[in-house]
Amino acid sequence: MTVFFGQLEDCLRNEMGGPKFDFLINNAGTALYSLISDTTEEQLDAVYHIHFKGVYLLIQKALKLLNDGGGIVNVSSGLTRFSNPGSSGYASMKGAVEVLTRYMAKELGPRRIRANAVAPGAIATDFGGGRTRDNAEINKHIADVTALGRAGLPDDVGGVIAFLCTDEAKWINGQRIEVSGGMDL
């Protein structure tokens, strides 16, 4: 991680004219579809490292480069609100990120750094091997359980994240904002 931050600092100075940035978006992720009884320790470790430990440590290291008055947006999941068998490991790590987000809002408040979580429902992307996007049966099921009648699209989530990085969102802090089109209401 030291090499990454060294390269980031060089890039910020050379490309952006300064050593700091305003917003950090934690959006890395991978799927894990496995029942509790079938999940291996290795699988659980992998989702822990990607979805929680990596987020925690990246934020910790990035704080020295994050401008006061900036913000952090952590991408969570609708699966922290509703339960689908086979998603316990993944959803548990996203739940931990939501708790972390509230702690960040309090701890970083003195620097006026906002921290929020955006929790997408099923989005038609490459995530999970493209299941929601490419599997017509899964896509139809999502549409049937979503108030707006379709699976989400990347722009549905991206617009909310972008909004959280504006002055218009300066009073939103420590919140979980679900972006699911009304999935599983």
Side-chain angles (χ1 to χ4, degrees), residues 5-144:
F5 277 99
Q7 292 173 339
L8 176 60
E9 288 181 64
D10 288 345
C11 179
L12 289 169
R13 275 192 207 89
N14 297 333
E15 303 294 326
M16 308 303 272
K20 294 193 171 198
F21 59 91
D22 295 320
F23 295 97
L24 173 63
I25 314 303
N26 287 301
N27 188 40
T30 185
L32 172 61
Y33 304 109
S34 181
L35 296 172
I36 294 168
S37 59
D38 299 333
T39 301
T40 67
E41 184 174 350
E42 292 77 21
Q43 289 173 311
L44 194 60
D45 284 346
V47 293
Y48 165 73
H49 286 285
I50 292 167
H51 291 285
F52 184 71
K53 185 177 181 181
V55 169
Y56 193 102
L57 294 177
L58 180 69
I59 292 165
Q60 184 183 63
K61 303 287 187 213
L63 285 176
K64 69 179 183 170
L65 300 177
L66 187 59
N67 282 320
D68 291 355
I72 299 169
V73 179
N74 294 318
V75 177
S76 180
S77 173
L79 289 165
T80 64
R81 180 181 59 81
F82 52 84
S83 302
N84 287 338
S87 294
S88 64
Y90 170 81
S92 295
M93 299 310 154
K94 291 300 191 176
V97 166
E98 289 183 13
V99 171
L100 175 63
T101 300
R102 292 192 304 273
Y103 273 86
M104 289 187 316
K106 289 280 255 187
E107 291 184 18
L108 302 178
R111 289 183 53 192
R112 298 175 335 280
I113 295 173
R114 311 183 304 268
N116 292 289
V118 170
I123 308 296
T125 66
D126 291 341
F127 188 79
R131 297 167 37 128
T132 299
R133 182 194 60 214
D134 300 338
N135 184 311
E137 186 176 312
I138 290 174
N139 194 288
K140 181 180 179 338
H141 170 74
I142 298 303
D144 289 346

Side-chain angles (χ1 to χ4, degrees), residues 158-181:
V160 174
I161 292 171
F163 168 71
L164 289 171
C165 299
T166 67
D167 284 341
E168 288 80 11
K170 68 184 172 194
W171 202 239
I172 301 172
N173 192 26
Q175 301 304 302
R176 175 197 186 274
I177 300 170
E178 185 159 328
V179 185
S180 69

